[in-house]
Amino acid sequence: MKDHELERKLDPHRAVLVRRIAMDAKLSSLNVGGALQDLPVGPSLDYGRVHGANCEIVVGYVPLPVGIVGPLTLNGASVYIPMATTEGCLVASTQRGAKAISQGSGAAAVILRDGITRAPCVRMRSAMEAAELKLWCEAPANFAMLKEAFESTTSFGKLKGCNPTVAGRNVYLRLVCFSGDAMGMNMVSKGSLAVIDLLRLKFPSLTLVALSGNMCTDKKAAATNWLEGRGKSVVVEATIPKDVVRSTLKTTVKAVVDTNLNKNLIGSAMAGVIGGFNAHASNIVSAVFLATGQDPAQNVESSNCITLMEETPEGDLWISCTMPSI
Amino acid sequence: MKDHELERKLDPHRAVLVRRIAMDAKLSSLNVGGALQDLPVGPSLDYGRVHGANCEIVVGYVPLPVGIVGPLTLNGASVYIPMATTEGCLVASTQRGAKAISQGSGAAAVILRDGITRAPCVRMRSAMEAAELKLWCEAPANFAMLKEAFESTTSFGKLKGCNPTVAGRNVYLRLVCFSGDAMGMNMVSKGSLAVIDLLRLKFPSLTLVALSGNMCTDKKAAATNWLEGRGKSVVVEATIPKDVVRSTLKTTVKAVVDTNLNKNLIGSAMAGVIGGFNAHASNIVSAVFLATGQDPAQNVESSNCITLMEETPEGDLWISCTMPSI
Amino acid sequence: MKDHELERKLDPHRAVLVRRIAMDAKLSSLNVGGALQDLPVGPSLDYGRVHGANCEIVVGYVPLPVGIVGPLTLNGASVYIPMATTEGCLVASTQRGAKAISQGSGAAAVILRDGITRAPCVRMRSAMEAAELKLWCEAPANFAMLKEAFESTTSFGKLKGCNPTVAGRNVYLRLVCFSGDAMGMNMVSKGSLAVIDLLRLKFPSLTLVALSGNMCTDKKAAATNWLEGRGKSVVVEATIPKDVVRSTLKTTVKAVVDTNLNKNLIGSAMAGVIGGFNAHASNIVSAVFLATGQDPAQNVESSNCITLMEETPEGDLWISCTMPSI
Amino acid sequence: MKDHELERKLDPHRAVLVRRIAMDAKLSSLNVGGALQDLPVGPSLDYGRVHGANCEIVVGYVPLPVGIVGPLTLNGASVYIPMATTEGCLVASTQRGAKAISQGSGAAAVILRDGITRAPCVRMRSAMEAAELKLWCEAPANFAMLKEAFESTTSFGKLKGCNPTVAGRNVYLRLVCFSGDAMGMNMVSKGSLAVIDLLRLKFPSLTLVALSGNMCTDKKAAATNWLEGRGKSVVVEATIPKDVVRSTLKTTVKAVVDTNLNKNLIGSAMAGVIGGFNAHASNIVSAVFLATGQDPAQNVESSNCITLMEETPEGDLWISCTMPSI
């Protein structure tokens, strides 16, 4: 029986058990038998829901511990934040930060921009034709047509922008789509195809090279996400009273402002960082993504963050994080 | 009873159960009762090993499905690669790639560089003193002393280099440590402190701003990792026969070479990418890290990758990935 | 007599002569007498037009040799291009390129975008206020008011966009101004002040930190110019017959395409380049700027360029340069 | 008579005059007659020294006004700095800065690193061979051989390092050469060829793609120069008394420190800058290069600079510039 037939012929749980036995035998023959023994196979996962949706060639699961941070006062409400991680102290130190913020007047956050992106790469016969395509897309009446085509594929997504970049005879069409609470990658991919279909009618010489031409930019460290945003762009701020800085954070306002300047701004500048002007946003973003079912591979761009700190005239600590591409 | 007393007074599993009940009550009071109901609490995790090591304020775990890819022929051996992910098709398409590679003569990989880094930020009284410190550290006899201090804190790690960068009166000392199969962050942090202690004897005016001054660079997208490496630097290559490209990958050599050029090289160049000249290395790196207990937050730098492809004189597909900072 | 009184009391040429004698004396006292002897003082410069406009504390001039390249067939016309340089062979090799292009069907160029930028940095009392300012500026009716304010200061310039970026409680307002053939920095600076004045009426707590907040970005290597353009964005292409590649450029189409890939694309990618995917655009941009009275300090951004090459189906060389921020 | 025969058959000055008459005729036929009339042709340039060395197809020269700034107290000595520019106020404002610095205790500067670079791109048959080449070059005994080969081509230059970067089957060998006061590009190019010749003996399958593989990185904005230096790396600092800040610079210490933070650090960070954490270093670098016969096209990398400012405990202004790649 071939591997992919297991789930067709057996119930999903049994399929995993059978595959695991077969895999154990293969690993033993390579002298790494027992490699799977610490990997639980049940009962926490409903393999019926995994199959065909989340993972293939499944032999078990990794149980990732989840800690909960809170209450954090955010925009006046109390919130709790789940974090899935195996990095010791991460949850505890996040909890300490949440406590310090809430001992002050809490944090305020606002969304600055909201749109998931997809940038198909198309080729024209010449750079002059590529320029023509760019200028055509930028004309408001033509954008309206692209928008209509895009939105015909989704009952919910809205095409907010089409930003074409020319490189020789290539055009990278960065399509920005409002997808609400959904991450929206599938939505924007489907809509992008409809846009390309329409463009092909107008420009028959157009060829599609790739639905993602890497100017999206998905899961790579790119200035485009830092400058133009991707997904949610947010800014959040809090003022932490100097007494709380001392008692809860065990430091002084001056010391923490100074460290932020020399490490997160100057140190990162010296390291040739794009969008990484922070201490370890990636830790928290990854842990929250894992706890909430978001894609941890996207933390490459999602953890873009600049952390700014100041001593207020009253001697308290003002702190903000600006994150353009969560 | 305070939250952090739970594990001290109860057995670890019971502590989690009690915390969970309390958390459920808090969430109910915020009208989000039931938020935890899909989160398993047992029996896959041994909370006794989690507590004090991996996670705090634990209320359960996320069961992340694990698929296994293989056999992949790598340096002449057959290997299997576990991937923990919920992104549908990721394991299946990786399996397809592994199959295609193994249908040819397999992949060859080699480590180009190996060293985990930590870059303390220290301040001197003046830029002239900072320059003095830099030049002092670069003298071979002095580096030998730093090496001895560093290695006195570890029976295993070796200090391989100390690369000081001056910015005004700040110095960022990028210490490179060979840590073998261990990731080595703790090892390098402990050794770095010993280096700083020694430097303080020679330069009494030195103050330590931060043990990590962000030139390490840990979990941020930085040119320093791309250019100078962090952790393992590897290059891997394979030649896939043109027939296999057609039958297994369902494409042609020319098409895939062309897409790599226009998407992974030109598209990424247009996006202002640092180190992201690939399609989605981050997906595979994250999934392998999660399956093997590595830190997924580090995929920001670990997924740095340039993918190169060529048509060989015989018409086959040559493909390589160069990853300087896994 | 103080130095700045010279031009007030003497005719401009005489002022330079007197200053030069005084400077010679000062340099002699520092044992570097004679340092000015190779610097001509006349008769090529009309110091009356230099004073108060181009340079201060003037002691002479550097005569920069000017070579002329052409005829280059560009968009069907014959053009000649002046280059001021002291780098031997630069003009000759540019001439060779121009000849090769014109031996084919000539080059075609088009402007993709046109707007000079200025990005004042303003501060608000909080990040929430900064977000409010951003959203206010993005509302079409409000942008119309900003546009009116901006354009009241110039009979010619047009405000084409206002792109606000929030970082904590800072806002960087990237104002894009169409300035026609003028470089337009003064025009956009004046208009920007009018925009700030208007914003201060709506947001009395706004403070102006700097009229240029470095997101313009003027004379620094910044992804913002590469991605969003500055000044003229152009693409140019040419097809050079394979015979001409051989006879005039003394190479083959395959060799030059291959070198472009491995040097200008992959080499630059490995070097962590932003916008520098070319061989030496900076040489030509600098020389043309110097010959035409443009600011050579701006070649930092103006020489952003990606050079792409392909072998056409006929075996000829297709080449393009995309330059977003001349 | 063909253009390049002019200098062979006529004296250099006469050759320029004849070319100019011919060029005037061509321009007239394109309806741009008179375009050269403001371009002086004599007597300031000795065309005999220009021909064959600095410029070709010469028709005259641009007289670039030179201003002199000083005295600046630098490392205890008084120095004067020539600047060739047509940007009004640049010399005057630099003079104001020099005055303020010298009214304090002057500036101190030190060279942190010194080496011009060239990075040939070579190709091997496979990535495994490329890795082998890299490891071979890094072995001390082999580097000694490369050093000997390099230095056999120059009586003065010293090979200080060879930093090979692998990308697939390409290797970029960044050779660092101490060239003293000479800029050294020709020296390092000649030595690089000798290195390649030696490597070809050891690795017969090596092919040279380009003597400059763009990891040098010459005249492009690259992280490699920012991180690893190119040419002279320097840091300079000065403390300007608060009274002088007020009287000469017409501002306050707090205001200027605050502007530096929000514009040069945060603004540049938001713009996705690599190495451009300054206000306008490029202006001064270009003007000094032009006045001293250096190549203005190189200011792309030479103007890399981070400007840091602090208020000292005494309330004075401490300022530094760190420039890794002049």
Side-chain angles (χ1 to χ4, degrees):
Chain A
M1 188 150 57
K2 290 209 165 168
D3 183 89
H4 64 268
E5 294 175 323
L6 287 173
E7 269 84 3
R8 258 191 291 148
K9 304 214 172 148
L10 304 173
D11 82 80
H13 186 74
R14 212 171 156 67
V16 170
L17 287 176
V18 168
R19 175 181 294 114
R20 189 173 169 118
I21 290 164
M23 187 61 73
D24 258 333
K26 290 182 202 166
L27 293 175
S28 290
S29 76
L30 297 171
N31 294 317
V32 285
L36 300 180
Q37 72 191 9
D38 291 336
L39 192 77
V41 69
S44 303
L45 210 51
D46 175 354
Y47 293 106
R49 290 170 62 185
V50 170
H51 179 66
N54 293 134
C55 197
E56 302 82 33
I57 325 179
V58 177
V59 294
Y61 57 85
V62 170
L64 218 52
V66 173
I68 293 215
V69 161
L72 170 71
T73 308
L74 179 67
N75 290 343
S78 276
V79 298
Y80 287 86
I81 301 139
M83 297 172 70
T85 184
T86 58
E87 182 169 337
C89 297
L90 178 60
V91 171
S93 67
T94 308
Q95 172 66 9
R96 194 151 55 127
K99 185 179 162 192
I101 288 169
S102 303
Q103 284 173 318
S105 48
V110 66
I111 290 179
L112 296 166
R113 204 159 22 183
D114 189 354
I116 190 67
T117 56
R118 193 41 110 195
C121 168
V122 302
R123 306 205 85 192
M124 310 302 285
R125 279 172 306 187
S126 68
M128 294 307 106
E129 258 191 29
E132 212 185 305
L133 174 63
K134 174 188 159 75
L135 298 173
W136 190 91
C137 290
E138 289 173 347
N142 297 333
F143 175 70
M145 290 169 59
L146 298 179
K147 187 174 165 66
E148 196 188 322
F150 185 99
E151 293 175 5
S152 73
T153 65
T154 161
S155 56
F156 186 59
K158 299 288 167 203
L159 185 68
K160 293 176 63 181
C162 169
N163 183 9
T165 297
V166 169
R169 62 191 186 97
N170 290 7
V171 185
Y172 299 85
L173 291 159
R174 200 176 199 249
L175 299 163
V176 186
C177 166
F178 177 79
S179 63
D181 284 342
M183 209 281 282
M185 280 311 290
N186 289 340
M187 188 189 293
V188 74
S189 295
K190 241 168 102 182
S192 296
L193 273 177
V195 164
I196 299 300
D197 284 343
L198 174 60
L199 288 175
R200 238 191 301 243
L201 291 179
K202 306 284 168 183
F203 296 87
S205 66
L206 177 158
T207 26
L208 177 63
V209 174
L211 192 54
S212 160
N214 272 19
M215 284 199 77
C216 313
T217 300
D218 196 34
K219 303 177 185 174
K220 270 87 65 185
T224 189
N225 294 329
W226 178 240
L227 289 169
E228 291 161 13
R230 184 162 205 254
K232 314 285 184 208
S233 302
V234 302
V235 63
V236 54
E237 70 186 328
T239 298
I240 304 178
K242 57 178 170 297
D243 296 344
V244 174
V245 172
R246 210 174 305 117
S247 59
T248 301
L249 302 180
K250 318 287 182 204
T251 182
T252 65
V253 173
K254 274 187 209 318
V256 76
V257 167
D258 197 54
T259 300
N260 189 62
L261 174 62
N262 289 297
K263 171 188 166 78
N264 292 344
L265 296 184
I266 303 177
S268 287
M270 296 314 292
V273 145
I274 296 282
F277 299 91
N278 61 79
H280 65 141
S282 170
N283 274 330
I284 296 175
V285 168
S286 292
V288 173
F289 275 23
L290 283 165
T292 56
Q294 299 299 313
D295 187 347
Q298 251 160 353
N299 82 329
V300 177
E301 72 257 35
S302 296
S303 60
N304 272 343
C305 174
I306 186 166
T307 302
L308 298 175
M309 297 190 189
E310 290 177 50
E311 187 176 1
T312 68
E314 296 76 29
D316 297 330
L317 175 65
W318 174 84
I319 175 168
S320 74
C321 290
T322 308
M323 302 181 70
S325 48
I326 299 183
Chain B
M1 189 151 58
K2 290 207 164 169
D3 183 87
H4 63 268
E5 294 175 323
L6 287 172
E7 268 84 5
R8 258 191 290 149
K9 304 211 172 152
L10 303 173
D11 81 81
H13 187 74
R14 215 173 153 67
V16 170
L17 288 176
V18 169
R19 176 180 295 114
R20 191 175 168 116
I21 290 164
M23 187 63 72
D24 258 333
K26 290 182 203 168
L27 293 174
S28 291
S29 76
L30 298 171
N31 294 318
V32 284
L36 300 180
Q37 74 192 8
D38 290 336
L39 191 77
V41 69
S44 303
L45 210 50
D46 175 353
Y47 292 107
R49 290 170 63 185
V50 169
H51 178 65
N54 293 135
C55 197
E56 300 83 33
I57 325 179
V58 178
V59 295
Y61 57 84
V62 169
L64 217 54
V66 173
I68 293 214
V69 161
L72 170 70
T73 307
L74 179 67
N75 291 343
S78 275
V79 297
Y80 287 86
I81 301 139
M83 298 173 69
T85 184
T86 58
E87 181 169 337
C89 297
L90 177 60
V91 172
S93 66
T94 308
Q95 173 65 12
R96 195 152 51 131
K99 184 179 164 194
I101 288 169
S102 304
Q103 285 174 316
S105 49
V110 66
I111 291 181
L112 295 166
R113 203 158 26 181
D114 189 353
I116 189 67
T117 56
R118 192 42 109 193
C121 169
V122 302
R123 307 204 83 192
M124 310 303 284
R125 279 172 306 188
S126 67
M128 294 307 106
E129 260 190 27
E132 214 184 303
L133 175 63
K134 174 189 161 74
L135 298 174
W136 190 92
C137 291
E138 288 173 346
N142 297 331
F143 175 70
M145 290 169 59
L146 297 179
K147 186 174 166 66
E148 196 189 322
F150 185 98
E151 293 175 6
S152 72
T153 65
T154 160
S155 57
F156 187 59
K158 300 288 166 205
L159 186 67
K160 293 175 63 181
C162 169
N163 183 9
T165 298
V166 169
R169 62 192 187 95
N170 290 7
V171 185
Y172 300 85
L173 290 159
R174 198 176 202 247
L175 299 163
V176 186
C177 167
F178 176 78
S179 63
D181 283 345
M183 207 280 277
M185 280 311 290
N186 290 339
M187 188 190 293
V188 73
S189 295
K190 242 168 100 183
S192 296
L193 272 177
V195 164
I196 298 300
D197 284 343
L198 174 60
L199 288 174
R200 240 192 299 243
L201 291 178
K202 306 284 169 187
F203 296 88
S205 66
L206 176 159
T207 26
L208 177 64
V209 174
L211 192 55
S212 160
N214 270 19
M215 284 198 79
C216 314
T217 300
D218 196 35
K219 302 176 184 175
K220 271 86 67 184
T224 189
N225 295 330
W226 178 241
L227 289 168
E228 291 161 13
R230 185 163 205 252
K232 315 284 184 211
S233 302
V234 303
V235 63
V236 54
E237 70 186 329
T239 298
I240 304 178
K242 56 179 173 295
D243 296 344
V244 174
V245 172
R246 209 174 306 115
S247 60
T248 301
L249 301 181
K250 318 284 181 206
T251 181
T252 65
V253 174
K254 274 189 207 319
V256 76
V257 167
D258 196 55
T259 300
N260 189 61
L261 174 62
N262 289 297
K263 169 188 168 76
N264 291 344
L265 294 184
I266 303 176
S268 287
M270 297 314 292
V273 145
I274 296 283
F277 299 91
N278 62 79
H280 66 139
S282 172
N283 274 332
I284 295 174
V285 169
S286 292
V288 173
F289 275 21
L290 283 164
T292 56
Q294 299 300 312
D295 188 347
Q298 250 158 355
N299 83 329
V300 176
E301 72 258 34
S302 296
S303 59
N304 273 343
C305 175
I306 185 165
T307 301
L308 298 175
M309 298 189 189
E310 291 178 50
E311 186 175 2
T312 69
E314 296 74 30
D316 296 330
L317 175 65
W318 173 85
I319 174 169
S320 75
C321 289
T322 308
M323 302 182 71
S325 48
I326 299 182
Chain C
M1 187 150 60
K2 290 208 163 168
D3 183 88
H4 64 269
E5 294 175 324
L6 287 172
E7 268 84 4
R8 258 191 290 147
K9 303 213 172 149
L10 303 173
D11 82 79
H13 186 73
R14 208 168 161 68
V16 169
L17 287 176
V18 169
R19 176 181 294 114
R20 189 173 169 118
I21 290 164
M23 187 61 74
D24 258 334
K26 288 182 203 168
L27 294 174
S28 290
S29 75
L30 297 172
N31 295 318
V32 284
L36 300 180
Q37 72 192 9
D38 290 337
L39 193 76
V41 68
S44 303
L45 210 51
D46 175 354
Y47 292 107
R49 289 171 62 186
V50 169
H51 179 66
N54 292 135
C55 197
E56 301 83 33
I57 326 181
V58 177
V59 295
Y61 57 84
V62 170
L64 219 53
V66 173
I68 293 213
V69 161
L72 170 70
T73 308
L74 179 67
N75 290 344
S78 276
V79 297
Y80 287 87
I81 302 140
M83 298 173 69
T85 183
T86 58
E87 183 170 337
C89 297
L90 177 61
V91 171
S93 67
T94 309
Q95 172 66 11
R96 196 152 52 129
K99 185 179 162 193
I101 288 169
S102 303
Q103 283 174 318
S105 49
V110 66
I111 290 181
L112 296 166
R113 203 159 24 180
D114 189 354
I116 189 67
T117 56
R118 193 40 111 193
C121 168
V122 302
R123 305 205 83 192
M124 310 302 285
R125 279 172 307 188
S126 67
M128 294 306 106
E129 259 190 29
E132 212 184 303
L133 175 64
K134 176 190 159 73
L135 299 174
W136 190 91
C137 290
E138 290 173 346
N142 297 332
F143 175 70
M145 289 170 60
L146 297 179
K147 186 174 165 66
E148 195 188 324
F150 185 99
E151 294 175 4
S152 73
T153 65
T154 160
S155 56
F156 186 60
K158 300 287 167 206
L159 186 67
K160 292 175 64 181
C162 170
N163 183 9
T165 298
V166 168
R169 62 191 187 96
N170 290 7
V171 185
Y172 300 85
L173 291 158
R174 200 177 199 247
L175 299 163
V176 186
C177 167
F178 176 78
S179 62
D181 284 342
M183 208 281 281
M185 280 310 291
N186 289 339
M187 188 190 292
V188 73
S189 295
K190 242 168 102 182
S192 296
L193 273 177
V195 163
I196 299 300
D197 284 343
L198 174 61
L199 288 174
R200 239 192 301 243
L201 291 178
K202 305 285 168 187
F203 295 87
S205 66
L206 176 157
T207 27
L208 177 63
V209 174
L211 192 55
S212 160
N214 272 19
M215 285 198 77
C216 311
T217 301
D218 196 33
K219 304 178 184 173
K220 270 87 65 185
T224 188
N225 295 328
W226 178 241
L227 289 168
E228 290 161 15
R230 185 163 205 254
K232 314 285 183 209
S233 302
V234 302
V235 63
V236 54
E237 71 186 329
T239 298
I240 304 179
K242 55 180 172 297
D243 296 344
V244 174
V245 172
R246 210 175 305 117
S247 59
T248 301
L249 303 182
K250 319 286 181 203
T251 182
T252 65
V253 173
K254 273 188 208 319
V256 76
V257 167
D258 196 54
T259 300
N260 189 62
L261 174 62
N262 289 298
K263 170 187 167 80
N264 292 344
L265 295 184
I266 303 176
S268 287
M270 297 313 291
V273 144
I274 296 283
F277 299 91
N278 61 79
H280 65 141
S282 171
N283 273 331
I284 296 175
V285 169
S286 292
V288 173
F289 276 22
L290 283 164
T292 56
Q294 299 299 313
D295 188 347
Q298 250 159 356
N299 83 328
V300 176
E301 72 258 35
S302 295
S303 59
N304 273 343
C305 174
I306 186 166
T307 301
L308 298 176
M309 297 189 189
E310 290 178 51
E311 187 176 1
T312 67
E314 296 76 28
D316 297 329
L317 175 65
W318 174 84
I319 175 169
S320 74
C321 290
T322 308
M323 302 181 69
S325 49
I326 299 183
Chain D
M1 189 150 58
K2 289 206 166 171
D3 183 87
H4 64 269
E5 295 175 322
L6 287 173
E7 268 84 5
R8 259 193 289 149
K9 304 211 171 151
L10 304 174
D11 81 81
H13 186 73
R14 213 173 154 68
V16 170
L17 287 176
V18 170
R19 176 181 294 113
R20 190 174 168 118
I21 290 164
M23 186 63 72
D24 258 333
K26 291 182 201 166
L27 294 174
S28 290
S29 75
L30 298 171
N31 293 320
V32 284
L36 299 181
Q37 72 191 10
D38 290 335
L39 191 78
V41 69
S44 302
L45 210 51
D46 175 353
Y47 292 107
R49 291 169 63 185
V50 169
H51 178 65
N54 294 134
C55 197
E56 301 81 34
I57 326 180
V58 178
V59 295
Y61 57 85
V62 170
L64 219 52
V66 173
I68 293 214
V69 160
L72 170 70
T73 308
L74 179 67
N75 291 343
S78 276
V79 298
Y80 287 86
I81 301 139
M83 298 173 69
T85 184
T86 57
E87 183 171 336
C89 295
L90 177 60
V91 172
S93 67
T94 309
Q95 172 65 11
R96 197 153 51 131
K99 184 179 163 193
I101 288 169
S102 303
Q103 284 173 318
S105 49
V110 67
I111 290 180
L112 296 166
R113 205 161 20 184
D114 188 355
I116 189 68
T117 56
R118 192 42 107 197
C121 169
V122 302
R123 308 205 82 191
M124 309 303 284
R125 279 172 306 187
S126 68
M128 294 307 106
E129 259 191 26
E132 212 184 305
L133 175 63
K134 174 190 160 75
L135 298 174
W136 190 91
C137 291
E138 289 173 345
N142 297 331
F143 175 70
M145 290 169 59
L146 298 179
K147 186 174 165 67
E148 196 188 322
F150 184 99
E151 294 175 6
S152 72
T153 65
T154 160
S155 56
F156 187 59
K158 300 287 166 204
L159 186 67
K160 293 175 65 181
C162 169
N163 183 9
T165 298
V166 168
R169 62 191 187 97
N170 290 6
V171 185
Y172 300 85
L173 290 159
R174 199 178 200 245
L175 299 163
V176 186
C177 166
F178 176 78
S179 63
D181 284 344
M183 207 280 278
M185 280 311 290
N186 289 339
M187 188 189 294
V188 75
S189 296
K190 241 167 102 181
S192 296
L193 273 177
V195 164
I196 299 300
D197 284 343
L198 174 60
L199 289 174
R200 238 190 300 242
L201 292 178
K202 306 283 168 186
F203 296 87
S205 65
L206 177 157
T207 26
L208 177 63
V209 174
L211 192 55
S212 161
N214 270 20
M215 284 199 79
C216 315
T217 301
D218 197 34
K219 303 176 183 175
K220 271 85 67 184
T224 189
N225 295 328
W226 178 241
L227 289 168
E228 291 160 13
R230 183 162 206 254
K232 313 285 183 210
S233 302
V234 302
V235 63
V236 54
E237 71 186 329
T239 299
I240 304 178
K242 57 178 170 296
D243 296 344
V244 174
V245 172
R246 209 175 305 117
S247 60
T248 301
L249 302 182
K250 317 286 180 204
T251 181
T252 65
V253 174
K254 275 188 207 318
V256 76
V257 167
D258 197 55
T259 300
N260 189 62
L261 174 63
N262 289 298
K263 169 187 168 77
N264 291 345
L265 295 184
I266 304 176
S268 287
M270 298 312 293
V273 145
I274 296 283
F277 299 90
N278 62 78
H280 65 140
S282 171
N283 274 331
I284 296 175
V285 169
S286 293
V288 173
F289 275 22
L290 283 165
T292 57
Q294 299 298 313
D295 188 347
Q298 250 159 355
N299 83 328
V300 175
E301 72 258 34
S302 295
S303 60
N304 272 344
C305 175
I306 186 165
T307 301
L308 298 176
M309 297 189 190
E310 291 179 48
E311 187 175 1
T312 68
E314 296 74 30
D316 297 330
L317 175 66
W318 174 84
I319 174 167
S320 75
C321 289
T322 307
M323 302 182 70
S325 48
I326 298 183

